[in-house]
Amino acid sequence: MKRAEFIKKARREAKRHGLRFELVEERGSHEMWRAGRVRVFLPRHVAELSTGVERDVKVRLERVFGKDWWR
């Protein structure tokens, strides 16, 4: 999935839950994003997220968005 598309989808889902998916910090080659109390790290300089990174971030965000939120 494209990185920008993933961020847009996560922001839309956060808004649906009354939260914000916001950029908290930029360090080196990664950015820290937060939704509620869950923090996730995304690589900064890639257009496409790898399958492993995408899966890990989706699973972490399930804590606030619910199971299968990305479908």
Side-chain angles (χ1 to χ4, degrees):
M1 177 181 279
K2 298 262 186 214
R3 182 179 174 280
E5 180 184 335
F6 181 85
I7 291 170
K8 183 186 276 189
K9 196 169 195 171
R11 282 186 166 157
R12 202 174 314 130
E13 189 65 22
K15 187 174 183 178
R16 201 170 74 80
H17 288 276
L19 300 169
R20 291 175 55 191
F21 185 67
E22 58 189 351
L23 177 62
V24 177
E25 189 175 327
E26 297 179 16
R27 283 204 178 162
S29 61
H30 288 80
E31 297 173 333
M32 180 173 46
W33 290 79
R34 181 177 58 209
R37 301 189 89 184
V38 175
R39 295 180 314 185
V40 295
F41 294 88
L42 295 176
R44 278 176 44 178
H45 304 292
V46 297
E48 189 85 21
L49 294 176
S50 69
T51 307
V53 169
E54 182 181 340
R55 184 181 54 242
D56 291 344
V57 172
K58 285 177 178 177
V59 168
R60 289 195 63 149
L61 289 174
E62 280 184 350
R63 296 183 205 164
V64 288
F65 297 156
K67 189 168 175 69
D68 294 335
W69 65 270
W70 63 88
R71 294 182 187 201

